[in-house]
């Protein structure tokens, strides 16, 4: 494994040298600022990267955290230089739209609760239990189904308030994909999508909106990207993976899920990481995909966007870790940079 990572790091350095000839990190005269929009899942790290990148280069990267659905729409209409979605588009749809996509960082979707006496990582859920709660079958916290897997937890005799997203959301997409895999009833009655017809509950806009609604509502349960749970000091639960092991969300369990993916086998990197096969994997790990045009109308702005993501993928590991995300490994970054060179006309292939 170390030999593979060493090879990837060496190849990445070569690739970086080639791309540096195209982009450069120092801001040249007339350099373009960049506009993106989409996923709230990835907003904290994109905004942190953007702030650090501007200090180093003078190039401004603006990001509008409007949800994955709106991000897809905005890149389709050409309103932004890049969109961001936690749901990958399939290769046929990408080809139809003239888009390409690539992952930028790994995180996880976590159940968060507001219950007296319940601390981080103390309450446990299975996928089937979460589906039964979100479909409205289980209505109280002292229900026997919850108590059976939390026998040592003092669960209050209070009603459950479900909190879900109101916007088109990639966080939702990964969440309901996991529920659908765990529950035939959920799959048949509610299904999978950026937005679904929620059987019960109240809504919040974006990860921030769900976090805020859970925080102010006693007895609430919702789902947010892990960084939002940490930032808002929300109690999050352990979730059982495919091996029946209850896993806490953290960098190690997200990375274990990511390591099960052979990215070379998935055209345009189109794959979800829910229910990864590793016994040490958190079962609702996810990544955010950046969407860009293969033949951009404004090549200068497209090149500026790619320069930003090259910098983020090669130099943004610490910022990602500080915000409770997992940076992509060098081997995957190398694949992404090769993908750029083959797919996006902003990049000129190096001469032999």
């Amino acid at each position: 494994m170390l030999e593979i990572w060493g090879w990837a790091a060496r190849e990445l350095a070569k690739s970086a040298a080639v791309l540096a000839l195209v982009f450069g990190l120092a801001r040249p005269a007339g350099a373009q600022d960049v506009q993106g929009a989409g996923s709230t899942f990835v907003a904290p790290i994109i905004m942190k990267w953007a702030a650090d990148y501007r200090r180093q280069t003078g190039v401004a990267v603006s990001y509008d955290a409007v949800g994955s659905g709106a991000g897809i729409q905005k890149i389709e209409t050409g309103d932004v230089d890049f969109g961001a979605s936690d749901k990958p588009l399939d290769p046929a749809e990408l080809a139809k739209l003239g888009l390409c996509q690539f992952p930028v960082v790994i995180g996880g979707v976590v159940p968060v609760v507001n219950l007296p006496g319940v601390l981080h990582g103390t309450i446990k859920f299975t996928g089937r239990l979460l589906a039964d709660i979100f479909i409205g079958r289980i209505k109280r916290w002292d229900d026997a189904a919850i108590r059976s897997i939390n026998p040592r937890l003092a669960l209050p005799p209070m009603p459950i308030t479900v909190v879900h997203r109101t916007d088109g959301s990639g966080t939702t997409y990964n969440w309901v994909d996991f529920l659908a895999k765990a529950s035939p009833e959920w799959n048949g009655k509610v299904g999978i999508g950026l937005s679904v017809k929620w059987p019960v509950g109240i809504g919040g806009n974006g990860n921030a909106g769900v976090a805020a609604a859970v925080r102010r509502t006693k007895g609430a349960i919702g789902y947010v990207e892990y960084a939002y749970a940490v930032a808002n000091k929300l109690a999050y639960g352990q979730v059982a993976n495919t091996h029946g092991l209850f896993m806490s969300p953290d960098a190690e369990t997200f990375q274990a899920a990511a390591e099960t993916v052979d990215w070379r086998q998935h055209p345009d990197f189109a794959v979800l990481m829910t229910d990864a096969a590793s016994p040490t994997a958190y079962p609702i790990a996810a990544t955010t995909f950046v969407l860009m045009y293969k033949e951009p109308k404004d090549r200068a702005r497209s090149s500026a966007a790619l320069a930003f993501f090259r910098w983020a993928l090669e130099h943004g590991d610490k910022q990602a870790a500080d915000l409770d995300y997992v940076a992509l490994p060098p081997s995957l970054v190398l694949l992404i940079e090769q993908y750029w060179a083959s797919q996006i006309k902003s990049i000129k292939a190096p001469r032999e």
Side-chain angles (χ1 to χ4, degrees):
M1 180 62 72
L2 290 176
E3 291 178 358
I4 294 174
W5 275 63
W7 167 84
R10 290 191 296 273
E11 293 300 311
L12 181 56
K14 295 177 186 177
S15 177
V18 170
L19 289 170
L21 296 176
V22 179
F23 297 129
L25 277 181
R27 180 180 179 121
Q32 299 288 319
D33 292 332
V34 176
Q35 176 68 53
S39 163
T40 65
F41 179 104
V42 80
I45 184 58
I46 285 190
M47 291 175 180
K48 174 58 177 170
W49 281 337
D52 290 352
Y53 187 69
R54 185 168 190 171
R55 280 193 291 270
Q56 290 193 25
T57 67
V59 176
V61 177
S62 301
Y63 185 72
D64 193 6
V66 290
S68 295
I72 293 170
Q73 292 174 356
K74 284 180 176 291
I75 187 63
E76 286 181 5
T77 56
D79 293 335
V80 293
D81 303 306
F82 69 89
S85 171
D86 314 317
K87 171 199 172 184
L89 302 188
D90 66 50
E93 185 175 6
L94 289 168
K96 180 180 179 180
L97 295 171
L99 297 172
C100 64
Q101 72 186 1
F102 52 91
V104 289
V105 75
I106 296 161
V109 186
V110 301
V112 289
V113 301
N114 183 346
L115 290 173
V118 174
L119 305 176
H120 303 302
T122 58
I123 191 167
K124 297 178 180 179
F125 298 101
T126 63
R128 183 61 177 268
L129 178 57
L130 287 168
D132 285 347
I133 291 171
F134 274 74
I135 211 167
R137 181 177 300 281
I138 294 176
K139 302 177 184 298
R140 297 184 62 83
W141 283 110
D142 56 350
D143 188 282
I146 304 177
R147 288 190 286 108
S148 67
I149 60 173
N150 293 279
R152 295 183 177 85
L153 203 58
L155 293 163
M158 62 191 309
I160 297 172
T161 299
V162 168
V163 182
H164 55 72
R165 292 282 288 272
T166 56
D167 54 320
S169 160
T171 304
T172 292
Y173 190 89
N174 282 270
W175 179 256
V176 298
D177 178 76
F178 175 68
L179 299 187
K181 288 174 178 174
S183 167
E185 182 181 17
W186 182 278
N187 191 41
K189 292 184 177 180
V190 184
I192 305 168
L194 291 169
S195 59
V196 297
K197 187 175 181 179
W198 296 100
V200 295
I202 62 175
N205 188 60
N207 273 278
V210 171
V214 170
R215 190 173 51 193
R216 66 172 177 261
T217 308
K218 295 294 184 184
I221 181 171
Y223 59 95
V224 296
E225 199 282 321
Y226 178 58
Y228 287 84
V230 174
N232 288 276
K233 298 181 171 57
L234 294 172
Y236 50 81
Q238 298 179 46
V239 184
N241 63 19
T242 56
H243 293 262
L245 302 174
F246 289 96
M247 306 305 297
S248 292
D250 58 36
E252 288 74 22
T253 59
F254 298 160
Q255 186 165 337
E259 287 174 351
T260 67
V261 178
D262 183 353
W263 295 96
R264 293 178 183 273
Q265 300 303 312
H266 300 280
D268 299 302
F269 306 101
V271 62
L272 293 178
M273 291 188 287
T274 52
D275 262 357
S278 169
T280 58
Y282 179 75
I284 329 175
T287 188
T288 296
F289 301 87
V290 165
L291 299 163
M292 295 183 64
Y293 276 99
K294 293 181 178 181
E295 297 188 23
K297 294 179 181 178
D298 190 326
R299 292 194 180 190
R301 292 182 68 92
S302 180
S303 290
L306 287 171
F308 166 66
F309 285 114
R310 178 175 69 83
W311 176 90
L313 295 180
E314 294 180 5
H315 304 285
D317 292 21
K318 183 179 185 302
Q319 297 96 317
D322 288 347
L323 291 174
D324 300 295
Y325 294 91
V326 176
L328 304 185
S331 56
L332 179 52
V333 175
L334 174 61
L335 286 178
I336 291 167
E337 293 189 340
Q338 292 172 341
Y339 176 81
W340 292 343
S342 68
Q343 296 291 321
I344 301 178
K345 288 196 174 180
S346 299
I347 292 183
K348 300 175 182 177
R351 295 180 180 178
E352 297 293 336

